[in-house]
Structure formats: structure tokens, C-alpha cells
Amino acid sequence: MIKKIGILTSGGDAPGMNAAVRAVTRAAIRKGMQVYGIRRGYNGLINGDIFEMNERSVSDIIQRGGTMLYTARCPEFRTEEGVEKAKEKCQELGLEGIVVIGGDGSFRGAADLSAKGILCVGLPGTIDNDIACTEYTIGYDTAMNTVVQMVDKLRDTTQSHDRCSVVEVMGRGAGYIALNAGIACGATYVITSEIPYNLDAVAKKMLESRKTGKQHFIIVVSEGVGHSEEIARTLQEKTGIEARTTILGHVQRGGSPTVRDRVVASQMGYYAVDLLSQGIGNRVVGMQSSKIVDFDIQEALSMKKPFEEELYHIAGEIAF
Ligand code: ADP
Ligand code: F6P
């Protein structure tokens, strides 16, 4: 029986991480475990920035964005010495299991620590939804809702000025936020790195829509494509329609988590503790066909996530 576990958040923060921390803490306490919060990702594990939590430590956080455990990127943990130090700290404190909430990078770290005999379970926490083994990552829904709210506001001014707004959204290399938020705000075109694009075709579509009376345009560009300023300039040159660029940036990572993020974080957090309580580690928790499942970390990291090409097609067909 596992008696003591730790929990940390790592990499970019995501709304719903707090809900996951709460679920892990409470589920573990219910099972009679002691729970330790580890601050600032793997840094806290290496430096011993660790504190015991009780059921009240996670009160009043389910509705908050960010992460009460803080997060960080920890270059030292990418080294053999860093992982060894973390293992020694776990042994010193008697931490037998660690729940790591983060993205693929954080899971690579969790695999290294698992290889040293510490039971690690990863929970997918990133707004990007770019983790292959899961159809959903904690934070994705909130981020998309933020994008939609922002673009709805942008649309007001874009419409008043008969302009084109080129909106760059986050997603590191992945276009899931761009596509899904794009379809949800009626973007004329979604430009992502997964699908080849051609600015002549975008300009042609805008001009054809102009002929039918459409006066303003929203073009969503994913961060992976980048150079959204240049895209706006080129579209303006090709169409004669005044264009402006908005890079939404880190606002997309904040805010109170949506119902979906709170529920999924709670389910996944509970599931992670269940695995640890059975002595199971080296796993990543995910969602497949709306069910919570788990995978070996290496297997999870080797999987490829398909892009939603059909949705991309639909988005294009209904925006003109
Ligand atoms: P994310 O988890 O969101 O993908 P990062 O890629 O920045 O974010 O990774 C977060 C942290 O996970 C890194 O700062 C590092 O401590 C750890 N990490 C990332 N990649 C590796 C790796 N290959 N081996 C060991 N640890 C890693
Ligand atoms: O992975 C989440 C994310 O917000 C990406 O969409 C983005 O590329 C990256 O993190 C930004 O990271 P940073 O916090 O280092 O600016």
C-alpha cells in the first residue's frame, strides 16, 4: 500500500490544473495517503520545496486558473544528475508516487523518474490539446472559450471598420485551438501548420465573399504558422481590404476553468490516485471515446495524434 505521494505541475500552466491538484489531494487523503505539494515543477523536487497538504489546502481553488503549486521549466531535470537528485529527495521524504500534471515534456521527465523506481503518473495539462494519447487535455476548453470571447470583441471593431482581423492563437506546434476556436467564431479561414495553405486562395475567398456583401473578415492563424503580421500585410496587398493583426498571447492561458475542464480534471485526478493506490506507475492518464484510460508513458509519447481534417473541411465549407 502506497502511503505518501507528491503532486506537481510542470511546463506551461493551464486552467483546470488546480481542479486536478484538488482531486488528487482529496482522493489520496480518502485512501489514507499523505499528500505533499511540490512547488514549481521538477525544481521543487530537486530543491526540496515541498509541503504537506491536507484536505483544506485545496479549498477554494477549483474555480481558479493558474496553479497553486506554481509551475516552471527545469533544465536540470533533463540531466541524469537532476533526476538522481529528485529520486534521492523522494526517498528522503518517503514519497513513493508522484502525480505530474503537464505536457509531453513533463511526461518525459516522469518516465526518467519512473525508471529510477518512483511511481509516476502523468495527467495531461496543457491548453494546446497536443498530447497524442488523449483526445482531451485539461485547459483546452477554457482556452478556446477565451479565444472565442476575444474574437467576438474583435469582430465588433473589425465589422465597424470593414476590415480583416488576422488573429494568432496559441498551440505551440499544434492547430487544435486554431481550428476549433476558428469554427466557433465563424472565421473565414483557419491557417494551421497541419494543412498546407495558400494566401492567394485566402484572398480569393475574401474577394468572392465581398461580392456577396460580406464586409469584414476574421482569419485565425495558429502559433505554429507564425508571421501573422506578414500574413495580414500580404492579404491587404492582395485584396485591398485593410487588415490588422492581433496576437492573443498568454491571456489564453488564464481565467476560471470551464465546467468541462473542472470535470475532466477531477475525473483524471481521481483516476491517477487509483492507479497509484494499486502500486501502478509509469502511466499517463488520458481520455479516449470520452472514457478515462491510461497508457505506459513511453507508449503514450510514441503515439501520433491525427489532425481533425474533416472539421477543417467543414469550417471551410460553411465560412464564406
Ligand atoms: P510541457 O510539459 O508542457 O511539454 P516542457 O516541454 O517545457 O513542457 O517540459 C516541462 C519540463 O519537463 C522541463 O522543464 C523539464 O524539467 C522536463 N522535461 C522536458 N523534456 C524532458 C526530457 N526529455 N527529459 C527529462 N525531463 C524533461
Ligand atoms: O504549451 C502551452 C503554451 O501556451 C503554448 O501554446 C505556447 O507555445 C507556449 O506554451 C508558450 O510558453 P511560455 O509560457 O514559455 O511563453
Side-chain angles (χ1 to χ4, degrees):
M1 172 66 192
I2 301 283
K3 292 233 165 34
K4 267 193 203 177
I5 66 164
I7 174 164
L8 60 84
T9 49
S10 168
D13 65 351
M17 279 185 164
N18 277 328
V21 171
R22 170 181 178 271
V24 170
T25 304
R26 295 262 174 88
I29 289 171
R30 269 261 185 265
K31 287 188 189 289
M33 298 176 188
Q34 280 179 281
V35 187
Y36 285 76
I38 300 160
R39 292 194 187 90
R40 298 183 176 84
Y42 293 115
N43 285 306
L45 204 50
I46 290 174
N47 305 325
D49 191 0
I50 300 172
F51 60 103
E52 187 167 0
M53 295 168 88
N54 63 31
E55 54 273 59
R56 295 280 71 79
S57 310
V58 291
S59 292
D60 204 22
I61 63 164
I62 196 167
Q63 78 283 16
R64 293 188 204 282
T67 160
M68 66 165 283
L69 295 177
Y70 302 87
T71 185
R73 298 197 165 96
C74 173
E76 194 182 353
F77 199 71
R78 290 171 180 261
T79 65
E80 170 62 28
E81 300 76 51
V83 182
E84 186 59 30
K85 272 195 209 167
K87 181 198 83 175
E88 283 166 11
K89 187 52 76 181
C90 289
Q91 287 174 339
E92 186 189 315
L93 292 170
L95 297 178
E96 297 153 284
I98 306 283
V99 177
V100 173
I101 309 173
D104 276 344
S106 305
F107 297 161
R108 285 195 182 92
D112 292 348
L113 193 57
S114 296
K116 293 206 176 270
I118 308 295
L119 300 174
C120 293
V121 177
L123 293 188
T126 164
I127 63 165
D128 301 345
N129 203 27
D130 62 347
I131 298 178
C133 71
T134 183
E135 61 199 21
Y136 191 78
T137 60
I138 298 163
Y140 180 48
D141 189 56
T142 307
M144 285 190 299
N145 276 285
T146 300
V147 171
V148 170
Q149 280 172 22
M150 296 294 142
V151 175
D152 286 351
K153 288 180 201 287
L154 259 179
R155 187 184 278 281
D156 290 343
T157 170
T158 306
Q159 182 173 37
S160 307
H161 287 264
D162 294 328
R163 280 177 177 157
C164 168
S165 266
V166 173
V167 188
E168 183 177 313
V169 302
M170 274 187 168
R172 209 177 319 206
Y176 303 102
I177 295 177
L179 173 56
N180 286 270
I183 196 169
C185 51
T188 300
Y189 222 100
V190 176
I191 301 179
T192 74
S193 44
E194 289 87 349
I195 311 266
Y197 68 95
N198 169 345
L199 292 183
D200 285 327
V202 182
K204 184 162 175 265
K205 190 172 191 190
M206 288 166 64
L207 290 172
E208 277 167 6
S209 295
R210 262 263 153 117
K211 283 190 206 141
T212 68
K214 187 170 173 64
Q215 296 293 339
H216 73 279
F217 302 88
I218 305 287
I219 310 293
V220 174
V221 178
S222 81
E223 183 185 9
V225 171
H227 56 269
S228 44
E229 292 276 5
E230 196 185 313
I231 290 176
R233 244 189 334 270
T234 307
L235 289 176
Q236 180 167 313
E237 274 163 27
K238 287 183 186 296
T239 61
I241 299 168
E242 200 179 9
R244 292 284 188 273
T245 304
T246 303
I247 298 175
L248 289 183
H250 288 80
V251 70
Q252 295 163 95
R253 288 231 301 254
S256 179
T258 59
V259 171
R260 177 134 210 240
D261 279 324
R262 297 182 199 195
V263 172
V264 175
S266 301
Q267 289 176 296
M268 288 184 170
Y270 183 87
Y271 190 103
V273 172
D274 200 46
L275 289 174
L276 288 177
S277 72
Q278 297 172 60
I280 300 172
N282 198 36
R283 309 295 288 177
V284 174
V285 176
M287 180 186 278
Q288 292 291 347
S289 306
S290 302
K291 291 237 169 330
I292 308 297
V293 292
D294 60 290
F295 296 91
D296 171 85
I297 299 185
Q298 296 299 353
E299 184 194 351
L301 289 171
S302 69
M303 292 163 84
K304 289 265 171 296
K305 192 163 190 162
F307 195 61
E308 300 152 297
E309 291 190 12
E310 199 183 326
L311 192 62
Y312 185 88
H313 174 72
I314 293 171
E317 285 294 289
I318 60 177
F320 58 90

